[in-house]
């Protein structure tokens, strides 16, 4: 089940109350004329997809899978993960799977002001 949240965009308390939200990224989900959804993520320009057309919940599950793949790719390349942007009006917030979050913390672990800094896994 995807982890998504409809939190206020200006709250700022999210990561203090729910630390796993450090890995929750806002996504824009726009319906298309053919009953699907186009999805983009400002924090990960590589994350662009068109849903299978099975509704919003299924689309959010597809976004979680895509986010898992993009983050895994960043980790493989040793790239810093971006700090999640604040959610804007109309956006949904999606977190990667717990397994990907655990991998990111285990392999890279240190969060800085410019994002989650990558470190070589030894």
């Amino acid at each position: 089940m995807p982890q998504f949240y409809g939190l206020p965009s200006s709250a700022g308390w999210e990561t203090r109350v729910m630390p796993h939200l450090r890995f929750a990224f806002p996504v824009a989900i726009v319906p298309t004329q053919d009953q699907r959804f186009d999805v983009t993520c400002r924090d990960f320009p590589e994350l662009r997809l068109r849903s299978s057309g099975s509704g919003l919940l299924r689309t959010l599950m597809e976004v979680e899978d895509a986010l898992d793949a993009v983050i895994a790719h960043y980790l493989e390349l040793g790239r810093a993960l971006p700090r999640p942007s604040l959610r804007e009006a109309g956006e949904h917030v999606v977190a990667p799977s717990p397994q990907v979050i655990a991998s990111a913390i285990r392999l890279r672990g240190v969060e800085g002001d410019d994002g989650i800094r990558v470190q070589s896994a030894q």
Side-chain angles (χ1 to χ4, degrees):
M1 180 64 73
Q3 300 176 30
F4 49 92
Y5 308 90
L7 298 172
S9 59
S10 61
W13 53 266
E14 298 99 333
T15 59
R16 290 188 304 278
V17 175
M18 297 176 274
H20 63 282
L21 288 181
R22 286 181 227 177
F23 293 94
F25 296 90
V27 294
I29 300 177
V30 179
T32 64
Q33 291 181 344
D34 61 354
Q35 307 301 314
R36 295 178 171 202
F37 296 94
D38 284 335
V39 181
T40 57
C41 179
R42 289 179 283 123
D43 298 316
F44 292 104
E46 304 88 345
L47 197 158
R48 300 179 79 75
L49 66 95
R50 176 161 288 184
S51 73
S52 64
S54 301
L56 183 59
L57 182 58
R58 179 69 188 147
T59 298
L60 289 167
M61 292 170 68
E62 291 173 12
V63 172
E64 179 184 318
D65 291 342
L67 185 58
D68 282 355
V70 169
I71 290 175
H73 185 68
Y74 270 54
L75 294 174
E76 286 173 16
L77 296 176
R79 292 179 61 185
L81 298 177
R83 178 178 295 281
S85 299
L86 291 177
R87 183 178 68 86
E88 294 180 353
E91 290 183 322
H92 295 267
V93 178
V94 179
S97 68
Q99 295 84 0
V100 170
I101 292 172
S103 291
I105 291 170
R106 186 181 75 249
L107 296 174
R108 311 298 183 230
V110 179
E111 183 175 356
D113 289 339
D114 58 340
I116 299 166
R117 272 291 134 210
V118 294
Q119 299 173 349
S120 297
Q122 304 294 3

